[in-house]
Amino acid sequence: MKKFGSGGKNMREMIDKILITEDEISKRVAELGKELEKEYGDRELVVIGILKGSVTFMSDLIRHIDKPILVDYMAASSYEGSESTGHIKISKDITVPIKGKDVLIVEDIIDTGNTLSHIIELFKEREARSVKTITLLTKPSRRQKNVEVEYIGFEIPDYFVVGYGLDYNQIGRNLPFVGVLKEEYYK
Ligand code: XMP
Ligand code: MG
């Protein structure tokens, strides 16, 4: 990314192609929410969003779970630009106690799986009753760690995508769909 900004263009004009439309996302998110509602029943569920990418997905998802749940966020990242650094940094921890609780990690995308495998390990060390993961997107072709992901919104090819919470160097989170940025914004 040359600099933050679009040179006067709207966000949509910065997109090369739309991979997943607003409609497709909202249908799938509703399905996943209902699946979770059934799965957890009356068990005490702590839903933990990994900042910042999961925020849009999570805020839509939890409104389809018609049960009492606890919500928290953790800031953890293993990325610089579009290259994985292979390690994770936790810059904001959760405040809800999870010992003995069912935990659901909410991710925007699972790429190499490095970030997620660290987070699962951490929550297991903290003695959560169960730790499962839901992700909006997964890029199976890029996986390095063999992590289990119980709920998946969409499988995508190896594009660097933005929108619906996902960013390229912080740009693009506010797009309502998932799309691919035009090359000129990351070359
Ligand atoms: P790993 O490799 O640990 O990476 O599974 C997960 C994190 O990497 C970021 N990521 C992306 N972010 N578009 C994005 O906006 C992408 O295509 C993409 N691929 C990986 C993301 O922060 C995710 O949580
Ligand atoms: Mg992220």
Side-chain angles (χ1 to χ4, degrees):
M1 179 72 70
K2 284 178 229 154
K3 57 176 168 40
F4 187 96
S6 65
K9 288 202 181 72
N10 291 332
M11 281 306 305
R12 273 159 214 258
E13 297 171 290
M14 296 169 72
I15 294 300
D16 191 23
K17 63 175 171 183
I18 296 178
L19 271 191
I20 311 169
T21 65
E22 255 185 281
D23 251 24
E24 289 166 336
I25 293 171
S26 75
K27 280 195 192 104
R28 186 70 189 121
V29 172
E31 281 171 13
L32 288 167
K34 286 300 149 203
E35 219 176 306
L36 294 171
E37 188 183 299
K38 252 194 252 154
E39 166 80 23
Y40 287 95
D42 282 328
R43 274 150 58 197
E44 204 174 351
L45 177 63
V46 186
V47 180
I48 300 174
I50 308 307
L51 295 171
K52 304 171 194 172
S54 71
V55 166
T56 315
F57 174 42
M58 179 151 145
S59 72
D60 284 343
L61 180 72
I62 58 178
R63 281 178 280 178
H64 292 284
I65 308 174
D66 188 14
K67 292 282 178 186
I69 58 168
L70 295 171
V71 164
D72 208 340
Y73 294 93
M74 173 182 262
S77 59
S78 67
Y79 257 72
E80 279 281 308
S82 64
E83 290 298 315
S84 176
T85 57
H87 41 79
I88 188 186
K89 202 179 83 195
I90 293 177
S91 50
K92 185 221 167 286
D93 208 339
I94 51 169
T95 55
V96 170
I98 58 166
K99 190 172 174 177
K101 305 271 172 65
D102 289 306
V103 167
L104 180 72
I105 300 165
V106 184
E107 265 285 18
D108 50 354
I109 188 165
I110 315 293
D111 186 10
T112 63
N114 286 321
T115 314
L116 182 61
S117 67
H118 282 97
I119 296 170
I120 292 174
E121 222 168 280
L122 180 70
F123 291 163
K124 285 187 173 163
E125 275 166 23
R126 291 177 180 180
E127 297 176 59
R129 178 177 181 271
S130 71
V131 182
K132 289 189 176 178
T133 305
I134 184 166
T135 186
L136 176 71
L137 306 173
T138 181
K139 288 184 195 169
S141 63
R142 297 251 316 158
R143 205 58 42 84
Q144 291 171 5
K145 289 266 169 63
N146 188 21
V147 279
E148 205 180 328
V149 181
E150 286 79 5
Y151 304 94
I152 291 168
F154 303 91
E155 274 193 23
I156 61 164
D158 185 18
Y159 290 116
F160 198 87
V161 292
V162 297
Y164 198 66
L166 292 111
D167 67 302
Y168 182 79
N169 282 353
Q170 305 302 328
I171 289 185
R173 297 192 196 277
N174 52 321
L175 285 161
F177 49 76
V178 172
V180 182
L181 263 188
K182 284 183 182 161
E183 259 192 10
E184 62 197 86
Y185 295 101
Y186 54 86
K187 278 286 158 68

